[in-house]
Amino acid sequence: MSGSEDVAAPTTPEIEAETLSYAEMIPLADRQEVAIGGAWYRIRVERNEKLTATDWTQVPDNTITPEKKSEWLVYRQSLRDITTQTITVDDADIPNVSSITWPTPPQ
């Protein structure tokens, strides 16, 4: 004969035990970088919405006082500076966006 032996096909549990998940194939640092990038995208979207909602405070024909306009200017700059903060990542590679401190708008 040809000398071949009968070889049993591996079972599903055996295959699963030898198979890496997609996440396991990507280095931890790369997974964290992608997760943080997505978190920053969401933060920027929220920041941009807050800026858009306060655009009216900086137009020349608004009716707020110069002092109040200045307060809004500082608030808007704080929103722009939000990306200088640091986002931490937990053990499950999930960014902790609650570590971002949002500025308080003027009253």
Side-chain angles (χ1 to χ4, degrees), residues 8-21 24:
T11 65
T12 299
E14 291 171 333
I15 294 171
E16 289 173 350
E18 296 295 322
T19 304
L20 292 174
S21 72
E24 291 172 319

Side-chain angles (χ1 to χ4, degrees), residues 19-38:
T19 304
L20 292 174
S21 72
Y22 180 71
E24 291 172 319
M25 290 184 232
I26 301 171
L28 176 62
D30 292 344
R31 289 195 313 263
Q32 289 175 338
E33 185 177 333
V34 168
I36 289 173

